[in-house]
Amino acid sequence: MNAQILSIGNELTLGQTVDTNAPWLAQRLADAGILCTRQVTVADDRADIAREIADAAQSADLLLVTGGLGPTPDDLTREALADAMNVELEFRPECFAQIEAYFQSRGRPMHPQNRRQAMCPRGATPLSNPHGTAPGVRARIGRTDIYLMPGVPREMKPMFEAHVSPNLPQREAAVIVQRTIRTFGMPEAEVGEKIADLMARGRNPTVGTSAADLIISIRINAHGANAAQAGAIAEADVRTIRERLGIAVFGEGEDTIQDAAARLLFERRATISTAESCTGGLIAKRLTDVSGSSAYFIQSFVTYANEAKHRLLEIPTALIEQHGAVSEPVADAMAANCRRISGTDYALAATGVAGPTGGTPQKPVGLVYVALAERAGVVVKQLRFGENLSRDEIRDRAAKAAINLLRLRLLGK
Amino acid sequence: MNAQILSIGNELTLGQTVDTNAPWLAQRLADAGILCTRQVTVADDRADIAREIADAAQSADLLLVTGGLGPTPDDLTREALADAMNVELEFRPECFAQIEAYFQSRGRPMHPQNRRQAMCPRGATPLSNPHGTAPGVRARIGRTDIYLMPGVPREMKPMFEAHVSPNLPQREAAVIVQRTIRTFGMPEAEVGEKIADLMARGRNPTVGTSAADLIISIRINAHGANAAQAGAIAEADVRTIRERLGIAVFGEGEDTIQDAAARLLFERRATISTAESCTGGLIAKRLTDVSGSSAYFIQSFVTYANEAKHRLLEIPTALIEQHGAVSEPVADAMAANCRRISGTDYALAATGVAGPTGGTPQKPVGLVYVALAERAGVVVKQLRFGENLSRDEIRDRAAKAAINLLRLRLLGK
């Protein structure tokens, strides 16, 4: 079974957009035990797309194509598939009805341009798209099963699940199980040293690490004769790695630090509020990323101006004058007062210099204080991020560090 | 001039790593006026890599290859290039000396495996790598100039700058200038219709649209004999498109809606505060994404609990009981009271059902009210996002709609 992926769009070949569809599809294929051997990206050019489809049909059993199904004249994948199949496009009233219904359900008029999206190569099967206007297409050239899907990930992913996944061949042999363990707060080299023996070449599972924005992920790929066997092989390493890395592990798969903190807040029926300066609401935003967060999240103050710190959080003006807004005493007072005013079990605060301007030799860009208040008192942590980090990166890391402080406290550390 | 990019690695074809090298290289080529027309990704398989190199050499003038130059047995790109060139690999003492020196300078012993990295196809030229152990390779098949570079971005990028960039053909002809116009609030089909004539095949510049999270981008790629000429060709279309799309256009390039709103707030020396329920601080976070935002952003309330709406924003409990927290009157009062309490020129508010739970037939998931208060009064806008959208997407779109409301008001609409 040889699967290939074809991604279409000038924004991709020009490098203006990073293609995340192809890796997502390759992972979903791997989940089904199907190896993707080749990925190709071409521009919005009818002849090029048709040639790539015809080429892939020479060597692939399965070809997944994304992009170029929109309503505008540069969307040419339908036409190119028809060319590769050597057939005409034909109008499909049932597709047109679905597109009309999509607009009606949203109370918006359908634009005449959208009619193009109801065209489908003769002999091919349209695939319904409840999440957008572009129907997909399933077709066959020789022995190759071909699926066209929209390039918009929000539309592509459900279409894959609804129309492609159920039609994939059942592969009892050679299942791959992937697990990912996520850690925060331990340097990558230390993670690597603690699990070096598991990363030896030729082991099953294979174990590798990758780092992104302070989160170190450990990826475990286990091969087995079936899902149960591969799963058990992966699980043994997951258990070993969790033991060795301890509380640095906050979750698995796509878990975030706020997911981990939210689970603990739910369990302990504890409540939280935040007082934010440099993070500008990002900590509150992340704590409310989680569905059901109203059970623990009460309120938040974004006190950007010093006057707002005084007015809303009752920070004495003298304290700010004496130590500066970016200081340990102000972070401490922000957290303590936020907790008292909000009547919550915990409060998080952050104040710092996110840059790129506003740094001084004493208080450079990247200096952030995060604080956690609870009944027993306040802990303040000083963070120093390199000045080479962007404003976005500094705010992201400060929010992660603050929420991790809460997570560790909820674990009793 | 036809350039192609070949990315090599199982982690790429399996979808475990997103390939950022290919987009980076495509952008750097475009900067040099060279169009990348095709990108291919294959696994660590000697025969597959050799076939892709030979195939690309049939159609490309320039082929950039990344990955598979490491010291381990699954690094096979050197061998595959030799196969495609139909020559032997030979040991290069000067490469070996550089690899030895690399280890010596770091005080680490060289592993015998690293000797493989000093192998180079006969007739090819090794490229030095001061940032790692893998030398690159420059070779030629027919008219195709081929460069092998390491897959690690930290090593690949300096090698491109040192060894590829200076050898790119001087293209006085065919400089490409890229511009991107970004719009919000106009459906993609309507955008497409208004600029359909500009999207005709064979025009210079080429014009295409892409949609992501309600933002429609219009990409303009102009070819010219030099940068000035290409720039003028692009500029003419930019002007036409801006005229036709009017206030739907909020910026260019990487601009965000908050960047556009911030520019207007700076210009008008206006101040803003926010009162957020379902967006949980996201509007505040975005308004403070912009460096220097302390000039206009004063403070923000995240009032997630109804009690917090009453306590911090003085929303009458009776109003919430009568209409519900997700209602036009409550959104109106949140914005008006936030503005009064904060003493700002404007205040934005948002209240809605972000889901995935908490929806009712009257107030389904995706129903959001955003409100903008100013001296003259309050405008409230009802938004209805499809129930198929995720919590993240609903919050993202609600925040965009709120900040766009501010942007349009600052433009006098």
Side-chain angles (χ1 to χ4, degrees):
Chain A
M1 183 83 192
N2 165 5
Q4 297 188 23
I5 296 169
L6 176 60
S7 305
I8 290 161
N10 289 344
E11 73 280 13
L12 301 176
T13 51
L14 287 169
Q16 294 170 334
T17 298
V18 173
D19 181 15
T20 57
N21 284 341
W24 187 87
L25 287 169
Q27 282 200 338
R28 296 291 289 110
L29 290 174
D31 291 345
I34 297 168
L35 217 53
C36 170
T37 56
R38 183 170 181 263
Q39 299 163 9
V40 176
T41 307
V42 285
D44 294 308
D45 182 286
R46 181 168 170 170
D48 284 355
I49 301 167
R51 183 171 52 243
E52 294 296 344
I53 292 174
D55 275 7
Q58 300 287 322
S59 56
D61 304 297
L62 173 66
L63 174 63
L64 303 182
V65 184
T66 65
L69 297 181
T72 56
D74 61 342
D75 292 304
L76 297 162
T77 306
R78 286 174 293 261
E79 286 78 357
L81 174 62
D83 294 346
M85 294 171 71
N86 209 11
V87 300
E88 299 292 307
L89 281 177
E90 56 188 22
F91 179 73
R92 297 292 175 96
E94 75 275 24
C95 293
F96 192 67
Q98 281 176 12
I99 297 169
E100 275 189 313
Y102 177 86
F103 280 100
Q104 263 165 20
S105 74
R106 275 150 187 81
R108 290 191 278 137
M110 192 184 78
H111 200 276
Q113 285 261 14
N114 290 99
R115 192 175 193 279
R116 293 190 59 221
Q117 298 183 297
M119 303 300 287
C120 184
R122 181 161 300 152
T125 311
L127 308 174
S128 64
N129 177 2
H131 302 96
T133 60
V137 177
R138 182 180 182 177
R140 217 177 163 85
I141 298 181
R143 65 179 171 102
T144 309
D145 221 358
I146 301 173
Y147 293 87
L148 310 189
M149 293 176 283
V152 178
R154 199 175 48 74
E155 300 178 26
M156 183 278 286
K157 292 176 185 180
M159 189 178 288
F160 178 89
E161 302 296 358
H163 296 296
V164 183
S165 192
N167 292 315
L168 292 176
Q170 293 300 313
R171 311 268 305 165
E172 270 308 311
V175 168
I176 305 168
V177 167
Q178 307 181 342
R179 297 277 291 272
T180 305
I181 295 176
R182 287 160 70 79
T183 72
F184 183 85
M186 188 182 284
E188 187 176 13
E190 188 180 339
V191 170
E193 190 188 47
K194 283 189 195 290
I195 60 171
D197 54 324
L198 307 180
M199 295 168 76
R201 271 190 73 79
R203 267 189 92 238
N204 180 23
T206 59
V207 174
T209 66
S210 62
D213 301 322
L214 291 192
I215 290 174
I216 313 297
S217 298
I218 300 109
R219 296 175 200 283
I220 298 126
N221 285 284
H223 297 247
N226 52 54
Q229 194 198 32
I233 292 169
E235 175 59 25
D237 264 29
V238 166
R239 216 173 300 136
T240 307
I241 293 168
R242 279 186 166 273
E243 270 170 34
R244 294 192 192 168
L245 303 184
I247 55 159
V249 175
F250 64 81
E252 281 201 35
E254 299 297 311
D255 268 352
T256 60
I257 303 176
Q258 54 266 31
D259 289 333
R263 281 193 292 268
L264 295 165
L265 288 166
F266 282 131
E267 264 176 44
R268 287 156 180 64
R269 298 173 191 276
T271 55
I272 179 100
S273 55
T274 80
E276 307 185 46
S277 187
C278 64
T279 46
L282 181 57
I283 301 174
K285 186 266 171 189
R286 292 205 175 157
L287 289 171
T288 58
D289 277 346
V290 182
S291 176
S293 49
S294 57
Y296 58 77
F297 184 88
I298 305 302
Q299 65 188 32
S300 176
F301 301 90
V302 183
T303 54
Y304 218 61
N306 285 347
E307 173 57 22
K309 292 180 182 69
H310 174 63
R311 200 169 43 219
L312 300 182
L313 293 172
E314 302 168 15
I315 309 294
T317 309
L319 192 74
I320 298 178
E321 277 166 7
Q322 192 185 340
H323 300 280
V326 178
S327 63
E328 185 172 329
V330 168
D332 187 303
M334 285 172 71
N337 294 5
C338 179
R339 178 177 172 275
R340 177 173 50 74
I341 294 165
S342 306
T344 48
D345 298 311
Y346 297 93
L348 284 172
T351 179
V353 189
T357 57
T360 64
Q362 286 74 39
K363 299 193 173 170
V365 169
L367 175 67
V368 180
Y369 294 91
V370 293
L372 173 67
E374 59 181 319
R375 181 194 294 265
V378 182
V379 287
V380 183
K381 191 168 177 178
Q382 190 198 69
L383 310 169
R384 284 182 172 277
F385 300 114
E387 294 197 39
N388 57 313
L389 292 189
S390 70
R391 179 177 177 85
D392 271 359
E393 289 168 325
I394 289 168
R395 286 163 32 115
D396 166 62
R397 288 166 187 216
K400 281 176 178 153
I403 298 171
N404 197 51
L405 205 60
L406 172 66
R407 180 181 75 87
L408 294 179
R409 188 67 203 93
L410 289 164
L411 287 171
K413 307 295 164 187
Chain B
M1 184 84 192
N2 163 7
Q4 298 188 23
I5 296 169
L6 176 60
S7 305
I8 291 160
N10 289 343
E11 74 280 13
L12 301 176
T13 51
L14 286 169
Q16 294 171 334
T17 299
V18 173
D19 181 14
T20 57
N21 285 340
W24 187 86
L25 288 169
Q27 283 199 337
R28 296 289 289 110
L29 289 174
D31 291 344
I34 296 168
L35 210 59
C36 171
T37 56
R38 183 169 179 263
Q39 299 163 10
V40 177
T41 306
V42 285
D44 295 309
D45 181 285
R46 180 168 171 169
D48 284 354
I49 301 167
R51 183 170 52 242
E52 295 295 345
I53 292 174
D55 274 6
Q58 300 286 322
S59 56
D61 303 296
L62 173 66
L63 174 63
L64 303 181
V65 185
T66 65
L69 297 181
T72 56
D74 61 344
D75 292 304
L76 297 162
T77 305
R78 285 174 293 263
E79 285 78 357
L81 173 62
D83 294 346
M85 295 171 71
N86 208 12
V87 300
E88 299 292 306
L89 280 178
E90 57 189 22
F91 179 73
R92 297 291 174 95
E94 76 274 23
C95 291
F96 192 66
Q98 281 177 11
I99 298 169
E100 274 188 313
Y102 178 87
F103 280 101
Q104 264 165 20
S105 73
R106 276 152 186 80
R108 289 191 281 137
M110 192 184 79
H111 197 277
Q113 285 263 15
N114 289 99
R115 193 177 193 279
R116 294 189 60 222
Q117 298 183 296
M119 303 300 286
C120 184
R122 180 160 301 151
T125 312
L127 307 174
S128 65
N129 177 3
H131 301 95
T133 61
V137 177
R138 182 181 182 178
R140 215 175 164 84
I141 297 180
R143 66 178 170 103
T144 308
D145 221 0
I146 301 172
Y147 292 87
L148 311 188
M149 292 177 283
V152 179
R154 201 170 42 75
E155 301 178 26
M156 182 279 285
K157 292 177 185 179
M159 188 176 287
F160 177 89
E161 302 295 357
H163 296 296
V164 183
S165 192
N167 292 315
L168 291 177
Q170 289 303 313
R171 312 269 304 167
E172 270 310 310
V175 168
I176 304 170
V177 167
Q178 307 182 342
R179 298 277 292 271
T180 304
I181 295 176
R182 288 160 68 79
T183 73
F184 183 86
M186 188 182 284
E188 185 177 11
E190 188 179 339
V191 170
E193 191 192 47
K194 283 189 194 290
I195 60 171
D197 55 324
L198 306 180
M199 294 168 81
R201 272 188 71 79
R203 264 188 94 239
N204 180 23
T206 60
V207 174
T209 66
S210 62
D213 300 323
L214 289 194
I215 290 174
I216 314 296
S217 298
I218 301 108
R219 296 174 199 282
I220 298 125
N221 286 283
H223 299 247
N226 52 53
Q229 195 198 33
I233 291 169
E235 176 59 26
D237 263 29
V238 166
R239 215 170 304 135
T240 307
I241 293 168
R242 279 184 168 275
E243 270 170 31
R244 294 194 192 167
L245 304 183
I247 55 159
V249 176
F250 63 81
E252 281 202 33
E254 298 298 312
D255 268 354
T256 60
I257 303 175
Q258 54 266 31
D259 289 333
R263 281 193 293 268
L264 295 165
L265 287 166
F266 282 131
E267 264 175 45
R268 287 156 179 65
R269 298 173 193 274
T271 56
I272 179 99
S273 56
T274 80
E276 307 184 46
S277 187
C278 64
T279 45
L282 182 57
I283 300 173
K285 185 265 171 190
R286 293 207 174 154
L287 288 171
T288 59
D289 276 348
V290 181
S291 177
S293 49
S294 56
Y296 57 78
F297 184 87
I298 305 303
Q299 64 188 32
S300 176
F301 301 90
V302 183
T303 54
Y304 218 60
N306 285 346
E307 173 57 22
K309 291 182 183 68
H310 175 63
R311 200 168 44 219
L312 301 182
L313 293 172
E314 303 168 14
I315 309 295
T317 308
L319 192 73
I320 298 178
E321 277 167 7
Q322 191 186 343
H323 300 281
V326 179
S327 63
E328 187 173 328
V330 168
D332 187 303
M334 284 172 70
N337 294 5
C338 180
R339 178 177 172 275
R340 177 172 50 75
I341 294 165
S342 306
T344 48
D345 298 313
Y346 297 94
L348 283 173
T351 181
V353 188
T357 57
T360 64
Q362 287 74 38
K363 300 193 174 171
V365 169
L367 174 67
V368 180
Y369 294 90
V370 293
L372 172 68
E374 60 181 319
R375 182 193 293 265
V378 181
V379 286
V380 182
K381 191 168 176 177
Q382 189 197 69
L383 310 169
R384 285 184 173 275
F385 301 114
E387 294 198 38
N388 58 307
L389 291 191
S390 71
R391 179 177 177 84
D392 271 0
E393 289 168 326
I394 289 168
R395 285 160 37 111
D396 167 62
R397 290 165 185 217
K400 280 176 178 152
I403 298 171
N404 197 52
L405 205 59
L406 171 65
R407 181 182 74 87
L408 294 179
R409 187 67 202 91
L410 289 164
L411 288 171
K413 307 296 165 188

mmCIF file of all heavy atoms in Angstrom, chain A residues 288 297, chain B residues 275-281 283 301-306 309 313 325-326 334 349-352 391 395:
data_model
loop_
_atom_site.group_PDB
_atom_site.id
_atom_site.type_symbol
_atom_site.label_atom_id
_atom_site.label_comp_id
_atom_site.label_asym_id
_atom_site.label_seq_id
_atom_site.Cartn_x
_atom_site.Cartn_y
_atom_site.Cartn_z
ATOM 1 N N THR A 288 -9.122 29.988 30.170
ATOM 2 C CA THR A 288 -10.489 29.803 29.668
ATOM 3 C C THR A 288 -10.510 29.120 28.299
ATOM 4 O O THR A 288 -11.552 29.047 27.666
ATOM 5 C CB THR A 288 -11.243 31.153 29.585
ATOM 6 O OG1 THR A 288 -10.515 32.042 28.724
ATOM 7 C CG2 THR A 288 -11.386 31.786 30.958
ATOM 8 N N PHE A 297 -12.708 29.386 36.820
ATOM 9 C CA PHE A 297 -12.221 30.719 36.484
ATOM 10 C C PHE A 297 -13.282 31.752 36.837
ATOM 11 O O PHE A 297 -14.396 31.700 36.318
ATOM 12 C CB PHE A 297 -11.883 30.801 34.998
ATOM 13 C CG PHE A 297 -11.277 32.121 34.617
ATOM 14 C CD1 PHE A 297 -9.907 32.309 34.698
ATOM 15 C CD2 PHE A 297 -12.072 33.186 34.236
ATOM 16 C CE1 PHE A 297 -9.343 33.545 34.384
ATOM 17 C CE2 PHE A 297 -11.517 34.416 33.921
ATOM 18 C CZ PHE A 297 -10.148 34.591 33.994
ATOM 19 N N ALA B 275 -14.166 44.543 28.193
ATOM 20 C CA ALA B 275 -14.925 43.767 29.177
ATOM 21 C C ALA B 275 -15.297 42.462 28.491
ATOM 22 O O ALA B 275 -16.057 42.460 27.532
ATOM 23 C CB ALA B 275 -16.187 44.527 29.593
ATOM 24 N N GLU B 276 -14.716 41.364 28.943
ATOM 25 C CA GLU B 276 -14.842 40.122 28.184
ATOM 26 C C GLU B 276 -15.429 38.994 29.012
ATOM 27 O O GLU B 276 -15.012 38.770 30.139
ATOM 28 C CB GLU B 276 -13.458 39.697 27.671
ATOM 29 C CG GLU B 276 -12.760 40.794 26.900
ATOM 30 C CD GLU B 276 -11.438 40.340 26.312
ATOM 31 O OE1 GLU B 276 -11.405 39.243 25.716
ATOM 32 O OE2 GLU B 276 -10.453 41.066 26.464
ATOM 33 N N SER B 277 -16.340 38.287 28.381
ATOM 34 C CA SER B 277 -16.822 37.063 29.011
ATOM 35 C C SER B 277 -16.296 35.888 28.197
ATOM 36 O O SER B 277 -15.229 35.361 28.489
ATOM 37 C CB SER B 277 -18.342 37.077 29.102
ATOM 38 O OG SER B 277 -18.766 35.974 29.857
ATOM 39 N N CYS B 278 -16.975 35.520 27.108
ATOM 40 C CA CYS B 278 -16.601 34.289 26.404
ATOM 41 C C CYS B 278 -15.196 34.344 25.811
ATOM 42 O O CYS B 278 -14.543 33.321 25.655
ATOM 43 C CB CYS B 278 -17.615 33.970 25.309
ATOM 44 S SG CYS B 278 -17.664 35.214 24.012
ATOM 45 N N THR B 279 -14.699 35.532 25.463
ATOM 46 C CA THR B 279 -13.364 35.619 24.872
ATOM 47 C C THR B 279 -12.263 35.528 25.935
ATOM 48 O O THR B 279 -11.086 35.355 25.582
ATOM 49 C CB THR B 279 -13.201 36.922 24.062
ATOM 50 O OG1 THR B 279 -13.735 37.990 24.849
ATOM 51 C CG2 THR B 279 -13.960 36.846 22.750
ATOM 52 N N GLY B 280 -12.621 35.658 27.198
ATOM 53 C CA GLY B 280 -11.705 35.328 28.300
ATOM 54 C C GLY B 280 -10.390 36.087 28.323
ATOM 55 O O GLY B 280 -9.406 35.579 28.853
ATOM 56 N N GLY B 281 -10.323 37.264 27.744
ATOM 57 C CA GLY B 281 -9.083 38.026 27.764
ATOM 58 C C GLY B 281 -8.405 38.089 26.406
ATOM 59 O O GLY B 281 -7.389 38.774 26.235
ATOM 60 N N ILE B 283 -9.376 39.458 23.565
ATOM 61 C CA ILE B 283 -9.402 40.776 22.907
ATOM 62 C C ILE B 283 -8.312 41.659 23.513
ATOM 63 O O ILE B 283 -7.556 42.324 22.802
ATOM 64 C CB ILE B 283 -10.801 41.416 23.032
ATOM 65 C CG1 ILE B 283 -11.861 40.512 22.378
ATOM 66 C CG2 ILE B 283 -10.817 42.807 22.395
ATOM 67 C CD1 ILE B 283 -13.302 40.987 22.592
ATOM 68 N N PHE B 301 -11.334 43.954 31.896
ATOM 69 C CA PHE B 301 -11.974 43.080 32.861
ATOM 70 C C PHE B 301 -12.356 41.785 32.165
ATOM 71 O O PHE B 301 -13.018 41.822 31.124
ATOM 72 C CB PHE B 301 -13.273 43.688 33.389
ATOM 73 C CG PHE B 301 -13.093 45.022 34.054
ATOM 74 C CD1 PHE B 301 -13.180 46.194 33.326
ATOM 75 C CD2 PHE B 301 -12.828 45.107 35.417
ATOM 76 C CE1 PHE B 301 -13.025 47.430 33.934
ATOM 77 C CE2 PHE B 301 -12.664 46.340 36.031
ATOM 78 C CZ PHE B 301 -12.756 47.505 35.289
ATOM 79 N N VAL B 302 -11.938 40.658 32.718
ATOM 80 C CA VAL B 302 -12.488 39.392 32.240
ATOM 81 C C VAL B 302 -13.503 38.961 33.290
ATOM 82 O O VAL B 302 -13.138 38.571 34.401
ATOM 83 C CB VAL B 302 -11.400 38.329 32.046
ATOM 84 C CG1 VAL B 302 -12.011 37.056 31.481
ATOM 85 C CG2 VAL B 302 -10.314 38.842 31.117
ATOM 86 N N THR B 303 -14.766 39.109 32.958
ATOM 87 C CA THR B 303 -15.836 38.807 33.920
ATOM 88 C C THR B 303 -16.533 37.549 33.440
ATOM 89 O O THR B 303 -17.513 37.592 32.708
ATOM 90 C CB THR B 303 -16.828 39.979 34.009
ATOM 91 O OG1 THR B 303 -17.283 40.287 32.688
ATOM 92 C CG2 THR B 303 -16.158 41.204 34.598
ATOM 93 N N TYR B 304 -15.968 36.432 33.875
ATOM 94 C CA TYR B 304 -16.460 35.155 33.373
ATOM 95 C C TYR B 304 -17.716 34.770 34.142
ATOM 96 O O TYR B 304 -18.728 34.414 33.546
ATOM 97 C CB TYR B 304 -15.350 34.120 33.554
ATOM 98 C CG TYR B 304 -15.261 33.152 32.433
ATOM 99 C CD1 TYR B 304 -15.009 33.596 31.136
ATOM 100 C CD2 TYR B 304 -15.426 31.797 32.648
ATOM 101 C CE1 TYR B 304 -14.923 32.694 30.093
ATOM 102 C CE2 TYR B 304 -15.347 30.898 31.606
ATOM 103 C CZ TYR B 304 -15.096 31.344 30.335
ATOM 104 O OH TYR B 304 -15.017 30.462 29.314
ATOM 105 N N ALA B 305 -17.670 34.859 35.464
ATOM 106 C CA ALA B 305 -18.839 34.531 36.293
ATOM 107 C C ALA B 305 -19.824 35.697 36.251
ATOM 108 O O ALA B 305 -19.424 36.853 36.112
ATOM 109 C CB ALA B 305 -18.383 34.267 37.727
ATOM 110 N N ASN B 306 -21.136 35.402 36.367
ATOM 111 C CA ASN B 306 -22.153 36.459 36.384
ATOM 112 C C ASN B 306 -21.913 37.399 37.561
ATOM 113 O O ASN B 306 -22.076 38.619 37.440
ATOM 114 C CB ASN B 306 -23.563 35.853 36.483
ATOM 115 C CG ASN B 306 -23.986 35.259 35.152
ATOM 116 O OD1 ASN B 306 -23.360 35.514 34.125
ATOM 117 N ND2 ASN B 306 -25.035 34.462 35.165
ATOM 118 N N LYS B 309 -19.525 39.946 36.645
ATOM 119 C CA LYS B 309 -20.123 40.990 35.791
ATOM 120 C C LYS B 309 -20.808 42.034 36.670
ATOM 121 O O LYS B 309 -20.751 43.237 36.416
ATOM 122 C CB LYS B 309 -21.136 40.380 34.818
ATOM 123 C CG LYS B 309 -20.507 39.506 33.738
ATOM 124 C CD LYS B 309 -21.575 38.964 32.774
ATOM 125 C CE LYS B 309 -20.973 38.034 31.730
ATOM 126 N NZ LYS B 309 -20.467 36.758 32.256
ATOM 127 N N LEU B 313 -18.373 45.180 36.822
ATOM 128 C CA LEU B 313 -18.914 46.029 35.752
ATOM 129 C C LEU B 313 -20.269 46.625 36.117
ATOM 130 O O LEU B 313 -20.892 47.309 35.301
ATOM 131 C CB LEU B 313 -19.037 45.217 34.449
ATOM 132 C CG LEU B 313 -17.704 44.777 33.830
ATOM 133 C CD1 LEU B 313 -17.940 43.823 32.666
ATOM 134 C CD2 LEU B 313 -16.908 45.988 33.358
ATOM 135 N N ALA B 325 -27.006 36.204 30.476
ATOM 136 C CA ALA B 325 -25.703 36.862 30.333
ATOM 137 C C ALA B 325 -25.329 37.011 28.864
ATOM 138 O O ALA B 325 -24.623 37.944 28.482
ATOM 139 C CB ALA B 325 -24.630 36.065 31.074
ATOM 140 N N VAL B 326 -25.783 36.078 28.028
ATOM 141 C CA VAL B 326 -25.526 36.171 26.584
ATOM 142 C C VAL B 326 -26.725 36.851 25.935
ATOM 143 O O VAL B 326 -27.704 36.210 25.569
ATOM 144 C CB VAL B 326 -25.283 34.783 25.970
ATOM 145 C CG1 VAL B 326 -25.046 34.897 24.472
ATOM 146 C CG2 VAL B 326 -24.086 34.113 26.650
ATOM 147 N N MET B 334 -22.209 45.937 29.409
ATOM 148 C CA MET B 334 -20.790 45.635 29.678
ATOM 149 C C MET B 334 -19.889 46.679 29.023
ATOM 150 O O MET B 334 -18.935 47.188 29.639
ATOM 151 C CB MET B 334 -20.430 44.237 29.154
ATOM 152 C CG MET B 334 -20.942 43.081 30.014
ATOM 153 S SD MET B 334 -20.690 41.445 29.219
ATOM 154 C CE MET B 334 -18.901 41.294 29.305
ATOM 155 N N ALA B 349 -16.764 44.974 24.291
ATOM 156 C CA ALA B 349 -17.252 43.911 25.169
ATOM 157 C C ALA B 349 -17.637 42.707 24.319
ATOM 158 O O ALA B 349 -17.973 42.841 23.137
ATOM 159 C CB ALA B 349 -18.457 44.392 25.976
ATOM 160 N N ALA B 350 -17.567 41.537 24.910
ATOM 161 C CA ALA B 350 -17.999 40.310 24.224
ATOM 162 C C ALA B 350 -18.629 39.362 25.229
ATOM 163 O O ALA B 350 -18.090 39.157 26.318
ATOM 164 C CB ALA B 350 -16.808 39.626 23.548
ATOM 165 N N THR B 351 -19.773 38.822 24.871
ATOM 166 C CA THR B 351 -20.407 37.784 25.684
ATOM 167 C C THR B 351 -21.060 36.795 24.729
ATOM 168 O O THR B 351 -21.680 37.201 23.751
ATOM 169 C CB THR B 351 -21.427 38.374 26.690
ATOM 170 O OG1 THR B 351 -21.996 37.309 27.456
ATOM 171 C CG2 THR B 351 -22.537 39.164 26.016
ATOM 172 N N GLY B 352 -20.853 35.502 24.979
ATOM 173 C CA GLY B 352 -21.390 34.524 24.041
ATOM 174 C C GLY B 352 -21.238 33.112 24.558
ATOM 175 O O GLY B 352 -20.786 32.892 25.685
ATOM 176 N N ARG B 391 -14.322 25.648 20.001
ATOM 177 C CA ARG B 391 -14.259 26.723 20.987
ATOM 178 C C ARG B 391 -13.185 27.754 20.618
ATOM 179 O O ARG B 391 -13.439 28.963 20.640
ATOM 180 C CB ARG B 391 -13.940 26.078 22.339
ATOM 181 C CG ARG B 391 -13.817 27.016 23.497
ATOM 182 C CD ARG B 391 -13.566 26.225 24.786
ATOM 183 N NE ARG B 391 -13.380 27.130 25.892
ATOM 184 C CZ ARG B 391 -14.371 27.669 26.591
ATOM 185 N NH1 ARG B 391 -15.620 27.361 26.303
ATOM 186 N NH2 ARG B 391 -14.125 28.508 27.572
ATOM 187 N N ARG B 395 -13.918 31.707 19.617
ATOM 188 C CA ARG B 395 -13.297 32.808 20.371
ATOM 189 C C ARG B 395 -12.416 33.663 19.464
ATOM 190 O O ARG B 395 -12.416 34.897 19.552
ATOM 191 C CB ARG B 395 -12.508 32.241 21.554
ATOM 192 C CG ARG B 395 -13.449 31.790 22.665
ATOM 193 C CD ARG B 395 -12.887 30.799 23.681
ATOM 194 N NE ARG B 395 -11.540 30.908 24.101
ATOM 195 C CZ ARG B 395 -11.140 31.282 25.338
ATOM 196 N NH1 ARG B 395 -12.029 31.624 26.246
ATOM 197 N NH2 ARG B 395 -9.880 31.279 25.656
#
